[in-house]
Amino acid sequence: MIGGLFIYNHKGEVLISRVYRDDIGRNAVDAFRVNVIHARQQVRSPVTNIARTSFFHVKRSNIWLAAVTKQNVNAAMVFEFLYKMCDVMTAYFGKISEENIKNNFVLIYELLDEILDFGYPQNSETGALKTFITQQGIKSQHQTKEEQSQITSQVTGQIGWRREGIKYRRNELFLDVLESVNLLMSPQGQVLSAHVSGRVVMKSYLSGMPECKFGMNDKIVIEKQGKGTADETGKSELGSGKQSIAIDDCTFHQCVRLSKFDSERSISFIPPDGEFELMRYRTTKDIILPFRVIPLVREVGRTKLEVKVVIKSNFKPSLLAQKIEVRIPTPLNTSGVQVICMKGKAKYKASENAIVWKIKRMAGMKESQISAEIELLPTNDKKKWARPPISMNFEVPFAPSGLKVRYLKVFEPKLNYSDHDVIKWVRYIGRSGIYETRC
Amino acid sequence: MQTDNLELKKLVYLYLMNYAKSQPDMAIMAVNTFVKDCEDPNPLIRALAVRTMGCIRVDKITEYLCEPLRKCLKDEDPYVRKTAAVCVAKLHDINAQLVEDQGFLDTLKDLISDSNPMVVANAVAALSEIAESHPSSNLLDLNPQSINKLLTALNECTEWGQIFILDCLANYMPKDDREAQSICERVTPRLSHANSAVVLSAVKVLMKFMEMLSKDLDYYGTLLKKLAPPLVTLLSAEPELQYVALRNINLIVQKRPEILKHEMKVFFVKYNDPIYVKLEKLDIMIRLASQANIAQVLAELKEYATEVDVDFVRKAVRAIGRCAIKVEQSAERCVSTLLDLIQTKVNYVVQEAIVVIKDIFRKYPNKYESVIATLCENLDSLDEPEARAAMIWIVGEYAERIDNADELLESFLEGFHDESTQVQLQLLTAIVKLFLKKPTETQELVQQVLSLATQDSDNPDLRDRGYIYWRLLSTDPVAAKEVVLAEKPLISEETDLIEPTLLDELICHIGTLASVYHKPPGAFVEGGRGVVHKSLPPRTGSSESAESPDTAPAGVPAADQPSVIPTQGDLLGDLLNLDLGPPVSGPPVATSSVQMGAVDLLGGGLDSLMGDESEGLRSDVGGSPAMGGGSGGFAPAPGTAVPSNTGAPLGSGLGDLFDLTGGVGTLSGSYVAPKTVWLPAMKAKGLEISGTFSRQVGSISMDLVLTNKALQVMSDFAIQFNRNSFGLAPAAPLQVHAPLAPNQSVEISLPLNTVGSVMKMDPLNNLQVAVKNNIDVFYFSTLYPLHILFVEDGKMERQMFLATWKDIPNENETQFQIKDCSLNADSVSSKLQGSNIFTIAKRNVEGQDMLYQSLKLTNGIWVLAELRIQPSNPSFTLSLKCRAPEVSQYVYQAYETILKN
C-alpha cells in the first residue's frame, strides 16, 4: 500500500511529508526531487521507479503530489486517491497553491491522518469529512453522544457521501447535461468518426436523505418498457421525446446503486449535497452534428490558393448556437490572404498558420460562407502541403447525442415534502470537442 | 495530551508519531494517555488513539497496545472497529509473533462477517496484507460462504473498500465454472463505477475467472462484449490513469485480442495527449493492426511521423515498419509511406525509416529492392550507429544490384576506427559479402577491411570475426560463400510480445504496479512481501489439465530434479568446443566450471575394447586426469570405450523400429521412468520439454515431448549434448517433421549412442543439453538413470566373478540400504534382469537370501554386487564392488529405481 505522501512546490521543496510505512525512509523525499522534479529531461512517465521505490506523481498548477511505495500496490487506486486528495483539498481551501498549502498545514495533516490509514485509503468524501474535520476546532464535550455516533456511522456507513439532518427551506435541484461532440469528416462529407462524450452534473439542495431516481431516453430502458406493461412514470415528465438513444458505455458516481443498474438499468441514488457528477457516458450512434463544414480548396497555379468554406447549421431554427469559430489552416509559405465573409469576423493569423473566422451567434438551419484568396511564395520545396483539417468550435443549447432527461424523481420518506415540491431545472449544453473536416 | 480539544490532540499525537522513534523513553510516558483515550466516550477519540498507537513503532509500547486493541476490535462503534482492523496489520508489521500469540488474527477473521461494510473492507485489506507475508498460511480462508459475504459487502462499501475486496476476490480459485460464472455475474456491475481503480480491479477478476469458463458458453461471449466499453471509457480519465489503463490494455490485448479488436479508433493519438500516453497508444495500435483496419492505421501513423516529439516520431516510423511485417497485404503501402517520409529529409525520420526498411527486406526478400536507390541518396545524412549499420547491411546484402557498392562501402571505411562496434562489424560483413559477389574489383577493399579489423582493432569481437572471415576466404572461398551468403531465417511477425507465462502472471496483477512495469512483482519488490507467484486458473474442460506431467518418481532423490543451467556462457564454450575441437586427442580446450576432475579418456580408453571379459576388467581406467589439482585423492574416473558389439551400431537400427512402436515397447526393455519436465516453458520462451530415458534391446533412447506454449510456430529443431561422463550423444538428428504450432506437442524418441566425447561430470550422470529452434537456443541439464547404460552382455561367469570380487580392493566396496521393498529374491532377480543386472548365483545363508550379481556399463566398467534379502525385513543390503567406486552410488540409485517401480 501507499508508504508515504509528499507535497512539493515547484522548486522541489517539501511542503508536506507524511510517512505511513517503515520501509520509506527520509531519503525517498530527496530521491524524487533529484530524479523527477529536477530531472534534466521531461518526465516520461507518471510512475517512476528509483532504487526499488516507486513514485506516483500528479501535478496541480506548480505543486507536485507524490505517493511513494515499495510494494506492488494497485496503481490505479493510487492515482485515484491522489486525484481525490486534490478534490478534498480544493473543497476545503480552494485552489491548490503553495500559499494555501502552507496556510492549511495543520488541516492537511489532519486530513491525511484521516483519509489514509497505514496507506489504505479510507472514506474520502468531503461531505462526510467536513462533519468532523473543521478548521474551527471541535471541543469534544460540545458534542452530544448522538452527534458523535451519527458522525461515525456516516463515515463508515453505506452512505458516506451525505450527512444526515440537512435542511433547506426550498428544495431545489439543477441538472446539467454537458456534452462534447467529436467529429472527423472527409472532404466529401462522409463521417469518418464521430462520438459524443457527455456528463450529467447535478447540483442538489435537498433536505434529509432523499432517494432519487433518474430516467433518460436510454434505448434499452425504453424498449423494455415498450415490451412490458406501459410504465406511466415515463410519459408526463420532463421533455418526453419519443426517440431513444443507444449509450455505448456509462460510469456513475459512487452514490448510484450499480447492481440495480445492472439488473434493471434504473439509476437510483441518494445524492451528495451540492454539486457532483452523476454520470459520464459515451455514444457513437445517431449523433446530431450541429454543423456541417463544406470546404472547397482550389490551387490556382503555383502561387495562389482559393479557399471557400460553407458552414451549415443543422438544428431547430429557434435555437441559437454561440461562440462559433472556424479555423482554416494555410500553407507555411503563405504571403498574404484576402478574406470575404458574409457573417462574423475573419482574420488571417500568420503565427498560427490559419484563418480564424468567428461568429458570435447563429440560428439553426442557416448557412454562411467565407471565401479567401491565399497568395503563396514560390518555393522549390518538393514537399506537398499536408492540408491539415479545418477545425471548428461552438456551443449549442441541446444535447447532440439526443439524450433527454425523462424524469428525476425525489422521495423523502421521513420529511414531509413530495416530488412535486422540488423545483427542478434542466439545462443542455453541447460543445465541440475535436470537430474536424478534412479538406 | 490531556486536552479535550480534538484538533490539538491530533497534533500532539502526530508529533509523537514522528519523534517516538528517536526518543522511545519519552514516548513510553504517553502510553497512559493512549490507554485512557481508548476508553473515551467519544468514538472519534477512541479510534484516534488506537490508530496513533499502532503507528508508534517502539517495542515497549506495542506490549501495552494489545489490551486496548482487543477492546477496540469489539467496539460497538463501527468507526473504531474499522480503525482497529487496520491496526492489526500495523502491529503485525512490527511484531508478527505477538499478533499470532494474542489471537488477533481470529478476531480479524470474524470481522469479515461484520455488519458494517467498511469494517469488512478494512479487515479484508489487513488480512490480505498479513497473508502476503505468510504465503503458506491459510489466513484468508476463502470459501463459497465467505466469498458470498464479500460480494454482498462489495455493493455497499466505499470505492476504496470495493477495491480491497475485488483485489482479494482475484486471489480466490473457484471450484468449478459455475461458481466462476456466478461470481463474474456479481462483479460485472462494478464495470460502471466512476472510479477507474474499481473498474480495473473488476476487470482483473473477470479476466482471471473467464479462464475457467468454456468458450462455447453464451455467457462467455456476453462477458467479452461487456469488457470492451469500460476499457474504452478508461481512456477518457485523467492522463496518469490513462497511462495505467493503457499499460493494462496492452496486456489484455495480448491475452484476449478479441475484446478490443473493433476499437482501434479510440487508440488514435490526440494532439494534446502527454507523451507517455501517446507512446502507449501507439504500441496498442500496432498490436490491434490487422488487414481490416490497416489503411486507417497507416494514415494515422503517417500523420504522427510529422509530429514534433522525436521519440514519438521515431516510434511511429518504426510502427509503420512493424505493420508492414505483420500485415503482408499492407507491406507495399507501408514501403511507399516510408519512402514518402524519407523524402521529408528530416534527419531522424530518415534514419529510423532505413532501420525498419532493413527489416522489411528481411521479411520479404526480393520484393522491394527497387527502393534501394532512394535509400542510397540519403547515405550522408545518417549519423546514428543503428541507421548506419542498417544501411551498410542493405548495401552489402544487395551489393550485386548497386553499381557503386564498392565506392559506398569504401567511403564508410575511411573513418573505420571512429565508428561504433555495431557499424564496424556490419561493415566488415558487408565488404566480405561484396567481395564474394564481385571478387574481381574488390580484392583490395576486402584486404583493407580485414587488416583494419584484425590488426588495428582492440575489440575482440571484431578481431575474431575478421579472422574467421580471413581464414574462410583463404582456405575455401566456396565454403565461405556458403557460410556468408547463406539463406537467412525469416524474422518473426510479432516482436516484443510478452512471453505467455509471464503474461498470465501479469494478468493476475491487473491494475497494480506489476502491470504498469510489465514485470513480475519480484523484480521490483524487496523481500518476500507480495511476491507470491500468481497464476491463472487452469481452463476447465480442456485436455491439457487431464494429462498434467507426472512428478518425479518417489524413489528418486530431490537432486534428481532437472535444472536449467544458469550460466550459459560456460556451457556455450563447451558446446562450441564440441563442434570445433579435435575429436580424439589432446586435453579439452575449454574447461567449464562444472568439471571437477576433467578426464579425457578417449585416448587411453580406446584400447580397452571389450573383446573378452577379463580384459575389460583388467583396465578400464586408461585416462589421466587433466586437472590433477582439482581432483587430488580422487580415484580415477571411469574409462571410455567404443561400446560393445550390442551397442550403438545395432542400436540405431533398432531405435527406428522402436520409434514405430512408440512407448509400448517397454515390455522387453529395462525400466523407464515417467516423463518429467526438463525445461519449463517459462525459461525457454514457450518451449516446454519433458522426457525420460529408456533402453530397449541394446539401444538407448531419449523419449522427448516437445510442447509449444508460445504464440508462434516453432520449427528448425536441433539438439546437442555437452560432453558427459559416458559419452552419450544423439545417434540421429532431432527430427520434428512438421513445424510445431502453438499449443501442440510432439513426441520424439531420439536414439542415443555412447561414442560422444567424454568429460567427467558432477554428478556423474549429469547431462547438459542444448536445444535449438527458430527462436533461440535453450540449455538445460538433466540426470539420466544409470541403468540405461547397463549392457546386455553384463553376465559374468561364476569363477570370473569370484576372482574379480577378491581382486578388487576392499576399500572399493560400498554398502547401501534399499528400504521398503517387499519383493522376494526371485522376483528381485527377474526384475533386475529386465534392466540387465544379471544374477550369477543365489545362496541362502541363515535364512537370508544372498544374490550375487554383475553388470557392465557401456564403457566397459564392471560392477559386482551382493544383495542381501531377509524375508522378514523389507530393507535390503546392497554391497557394490567396482574398480571405479564413484559409479557405485549411481548404480545403487538405479537399483532402487528399478526395484521400487
Side-chain angles (χ1 to χ4, degrees), chain A residues 26-43:
Chain A
R26 295 272 162 203
N27 51 357
V29 186
D30 303 322
F32 182 76
R33 173 179 36 240
V34 173
N35 289 290
V36 180
I37 301 181
H38 291 167
R40 274 197 209 118
Q41 289 154 338
Q42 190 200 347
V43 185

Side-chain angles (χ1 to χ4, degrees), chain B residues 200-266:
Chain B
L200 268 178
S201 291
V203 169
K204 164 162 61 189
V205 175
L206 296 176
M207 282 293 285
K208 206 177 161 188
F209 290 180
M210 223 157 125
E211 204 64 18
M212 296 187 68
L213 300 177
S214 157
K215 282 192 174 160
D216 318 323
L217 220 62
D218 284 347
Y219 183 69
Y220 181 85
T222 339
L223 202 54
L224 276 184
K225 271 192 217 125
K226 275 193 177 168
L227 274 172
L231 288 174
V232 173
T233 303
L234 288 178
L235 298 182
S236 50
E238 287 85 346
E240 289 89 2
L241 270 174
Q242 271 187 57
Y243 175 72
V244 174
L246 284 166
R247 292 292 283 178
N248 281 291
I249 289 172
N250 200 330
L251 297 174
I252 293 166
V253 163
Q254 288 183 56
K255 182 74 189 165
R256 298 191 184 279
E258 63 269 32
I259 294 179
L260 288 167
K261 65 181 173 203
H262 300 302
E263 304 287 350
M264 169 63 92
K265 279 186 192 167
V266 299

Side-chain angles (χ1 to χ4, degrees), chain A residues 9-37:
Chain A
N9 65 10
H10 67 286
K11 285 184 234 155
E13 290 162 355
V14 189
L15 304 177
I16 300 280
S17 132
R18 175 77 161 92
V19 175
Y20 294 95
R21 299 253 169 167
D22 222 21
D23 53 3
I24 302 300
R26 295 272 162 203
N27 51 357
V29 186
D30 303 322
F32 182 76
R33 173 179 36 240
V34 173
N35 289 290
V36 180
I37 301 181

Side-chain angles (χ1 to χ4, degrees), chain A residues 325-390:
Chain A
E325 186 187 288
V326 183
R327 189 171 278 267
I328 306 160
T330 57
L332 295 171
N333 54 340
T334 304
S335 62
V337 178
Q338 265 129 36
V339 220
I340 310 158
C341 58
M342 291 157 54
K343 235 184 146 190
K345 278 181 197 158
K347 230 188 209 169
Y348 167 63
K349 292 194 172 165
S351 58
E352 293 165 39
N353 283 312
I355 301 166
V356 180
W357 175 27
K358 286 183 179 168
I359 303 167
K360 271 193 184 146
R361 257 178 229 102
M362 189 167 170
M365 304 316 266
K366 288 262 164 59
E367 104 174 37
S368 189
Q369 185 183 324
I370 184 173
S371 49
E373 275 185 21
I374 302 169
E375 305 274 343
L376 301 175
L377 287 171
T379 56
N380 47 10
D381 197 358
K382 277 183 212 151
K383 192 188 154 196
K384 270 180 76 183
W385 177 46
R387 286 199 183 182
I390 296 173

Side-chain angles (χ1 to χ4, degrees), chain A residues 75-267:
Chain A
M77 186 187 80
V78 177
F79 279 122
E80 283 284 2
F81 176 78
L82 287 175
Y83 299 142
K84 197 65 169 201
M85 176 75 204
C86 294
D87 289 350
V88 171
M89 289 198 290
T90 319
Y92 266 97
F93 51 77
K95 195 172 165 276
I96 297 175
S97 65
E98 188 174 346
E99 203 192 338
N100 276 346
I101 288 175
K102 280 180 175 164
N103 290 341
N104 292 284
F105 174 81
V106 174
L107 173 73
I108 294 174
Y109 274 112
E110 211 179 324
L111 284 171
L112 280 177
D113 198 39
E114 186 56 45
I115 58 178
L116 207 54
D117 190 5
F118 201 42
Y120 289 105
Q122 305 293 309
N123 193 330
S124 49
E125 284 302 316
T126 2
L129 288 172
K130 279 191 170 168
T131 57
F132 65 104
I133 297 180
T134 60
Q135 282 140 302
Q136 288 91 44
I138 306 173
K139 295 240 163 79
S140 54
Q141 77 239 37
H142 291 184
Q143 285 174 314
T144 62
K145 203 156 183 223
E146 287 85 70
E147 274 171 354
Q148 287 163 3
S149 68
Q150 206 173 42
I151 289 171
T152 56
S153 77
Q154 192 210 331
V155 173
T156 58
Q158 294 176 22
I159 309 154
W161 52 86
R162 190 181 179 91
R163 63 191 170 86
E164 296 214 33
I166 298 171
K167 278 216 173 74
Y168 287 103
R169 283 181 62 194
R170 215 156 87 120
N171 289 304
E172 210 171 8
L173 68 84
F174 300 84
L175 271 180
D176 283 350
V177 178
L178 307 170
E179 294 194 341
S180 88
V181 52
N182 299 279
L183 169 77
L184 186 63
M185 194 177 250
S186 78
Q188 291 75 35
Q190 191 192 353
V191 177
L192 297 175
S193 78
H195 77 270
V196 168
S197 55
R199 307 186 296 142
V200 177
V201 175
M202 182 168 167
K203 221 184 274 178
S204 72
Y205 302 106
L206 301 170
S207 313
M209 291 299 243
E211 180 76 39
C212 297
K213 207 171 165 193
F214 175 67
M216 53 188 177
N217 55 343
D218 177 3
K219 202 173 191 171
I220 298 172
V221 178
I222 304 264
E223 271 168 15
K224 234 187 216 170
Q225 289 174 356
K227 272 182 215 156
T229 50
D231 188 355
E232 288 183 22
T233 51
K235 292 196 175 155
S236 56
E237 306 295 324
L238 311 151
S240 62
K242 285 248 157 134
Q243 283 165 330
S244 58
I245 61 158
I247 292 176
D248 287 27
D249 186 38
C250 45
T251 60
F252 297 99
H253 185 264
Q254 63 160 322
C255 64
V256 176
R257 295 187 187 89
L258 293 178
S259 43
K260 216 160 178 187
F261 177 73
D262 196 56
S263 55
E264 302 162 27
R265 230 176 149 83
S266 76
I267 304 164

